[in-house]
Amino acid sequence: MLHPEEVEAELRMLEAIKEAAVLGITDKEWGQRVVAVVVPHNGKQTDSSEIKQKLKSRLSSFKIPKQILQVDSLPRNRTGKVIINDLIKLFKA
């Protein structure tokens, strides 16, 4: 079973990542696929394949995001909670 918090914590442990949100996106082949939206430290973009490679030693293969988007900031509501529906829209665009 995948717990997004576990993957998010591992992403945040990487030097290049400031913030992370992990979610499941509908996938025709697998039902759902794991994806991540990350905020790089100091706005410095990192190659997504490099991020995935670093996660391989920390997570089971099914927990590694299939796609990683890098953004300037995560969308949040007034209480500071990440707005997941806004993130899902990024993958459908």
Side-chain angles (χ1 to χ4, degrees):
M1 176 175 259
L2 176 74
H3 296 283
E5 299 84 8
E6 175 187 5
V7 181
E8 290 167 356
E10 291 296 337
L11 282 163
R12 286 191 307 268
M13 289 179 75
L14 299 176
E15 187 176 312
I17 306 299
K18 180 179 177 183
E19 294 183 276
V22 172
L23 52 147
I25 297 293
T26 302
D27 183 90
K28 290 178 184 176
E29 183 177 350
W30 299 102
Q32 278 197 331
R33 62 186 158 95
V34 179
V35 297
V37 180
V38 300
V39 177
H41 274 292
N42 302 320
K44 186 177 178 184
Q45 297 276 318
T46 300
D47 186 347
S48 293
S49 60
E50 184 179 323
I51 294 170
K52 291 178 190 180
Q53 186 64 36
K54 289 180 179 180
L55 290 175
K56 284 184 180 182
S57 65
R58 301 171 177 249
L59 295 169
S60 299
S61 61
F62 75 94
K63 295 179 181 180
I64 296 173
K66 304 300 180 233
Q67 187 176 1
I68 300 172
L69 293 180
Q70 297 181 49
V71 297
D72 294 332
S73 64
L74 297 176
R76 296 184 183 275
N77 64 19
R78 290 183 197 162
T79 62
K81 185 173 179 174
V82 174
I83 305 170
I84 298 298
N85 287 334
D86 286 359
L87 295 179
I88 290 171
K89 292 174 187 174
L90 293 174
F91 291 92
K92 294 184 178 186

